[in-house]
Amino acid sequence: MIFKIIFISIFSGLFIYSLIRPFYSSVARWFLMIGSVLGILSILGAEYTQLIADFLGIGRGADVYLYLSLVTIFLFVAFTINRFDALNQKISLLVKELAISNVDKNQKNKD
């Protein structure tokens, strides 16, 4: 019983945190809100998870979490790849500007 109270308070804190904290992305906010609500529902009982599964047309409540975890992993990988591509573009731009400035400095030193 104590573990239910602890985890429900953690998920409730995460839900409140998702309402208060300013996020850059609304997807991150909704992900944290929905994840914390699903966490609370999974702790309260399997019948609530089964109701969600029935509403979504999924056979078992445990499958809801399996599908959500697969979607989460896919989104995490996609966002990570996107972030690395953006960083690569910024690094390339900085390297080009640095190379141009070094060439300009070398030409001034020669004159």
Side-chain angles (χ1 to χ4, degrees), residues 17-69:
Y17 177 72
S18 70
L19 294 175
I20 295 171
R21 181 180 184 271
F23 285 92
Y24 293 111
S25 169
S26 62
V27 173
R29 171 171 288 185
W30 282 103
F31 178 75
L32 189 57
M33 289 171 64
I34 292 170
S36 57
V37 168
L38 288 175
I40 291 171
L41 290 177
S42 68
I43 291 170
L44 290 178
E47 59 272 1
Y48 297 113
T49 308
Q50 187 61 42
L51 286 173
I52 295 171
D54 292 338
F55 177 74
L56 295 174
I58 299 173
R60 297 182 311 151
D63 291 341
V64 172
Y65 291 108
L66 175 67
Y67 298 150
L68 287 175
S69 65

Side-chain angles (χ1 to χ4, degrees), residues 59-93:
R60 297 182 311 151
D63 291 341
V64 172
Y65 291 108
L66 175 67
Y67 298 150
L68 287 175
S69 65
L70 290 173
V71 168
T72 303
I73 290 169
F74 174 75
L75 288 174
F76 177 75
V77 169
F79 286 137
T80 304
I81 289 171
N82 190 16
R83 179 174 276 180
F84 280 133
D85 286 341
L87 283 174
N88 273 339
Q89 289 176 354
K90 289 179 182 178
I91 290 171
S92 295
L93 181 65

